[in-house]
Amino acid sequence: MMLSTPVFISLLVLSGVGIFLGGFYYYKPEKIVSRRVKSSQRKAAQKDPEFKKWLEAEFLTQVKKTRSMGMIMIVLEAILMVLIISLWLKG
């Protein structure tokens, strides 16, 4: 079964978008994680120092996880892009 050129180009575009998204998750994880913290949690953290310490530690943990997820996305999408290009050149 032979796939057409528009299919390969659309797969390459999707892979490029995945790499861009992975790069955003890797280089700006604070933006991703800060959207998950609710305003009520921030207000409670201002009042309770123990909760504030826990929230900051959890924030840093989530930043690390988001950054590693971004790197995984970049690597997997790059591998997928190489496979798509090699399949396209082979066909």
Side-chain angles (χ1 to χ4, degrees):
M1 181 174 130
M2 192 61 125
L3 296 175
S4 62
T5 302
V7 172
F8 284 110
I9 290 176
S10 62
L11 288 173
L12 284 174
V13 168
L14 286 174
S15 185
V17 169
I19 288 175
F20 175 76
L21 185 63
F24 185 73
Y25 271 56
Y26 183 75
Y27 289 110
K28 299 286 185 181
E30 294 86 8
K31 281 191 166 211
I32 304 296
V33 176
S34 67
R35 294 186 69 194
R36 296 179 191 162
V37 178
K38 309 236 183 315
S39 62
S40 61
Q41 293 171 332
R42 289 190 180 124
K43 288 177 186 175
Q46 289 175 352
K47 296 175 185 174
D48 186 8
E50 192 69 29
F51 182 69
K52 183 177 183 176
K53 280 196 273 185
W54 176 84
L55 189 64
E56 288 173 356
E58 187 64 27
F59 186 84
L60 292 177
T61 302
Q62 292 298 320
V63 164
K64 283 182 184 179
K65 287 182 181 181
T66 305
R67 182 170 278 138
S68 68
M69 184 176 65
M71 182 53 74
I72 290 170
M73 287 173 65
I74 291 171
V75 169
L76 290 178
E77 291 294 334
I79 290 170
L80 183 64
M81 188 176 277
V82 168
L83 290 174
I84 292 168
I85 290 172
S86 67
L87 187 62
W88 188 17
L89 294 176
K90 184 180 176 186

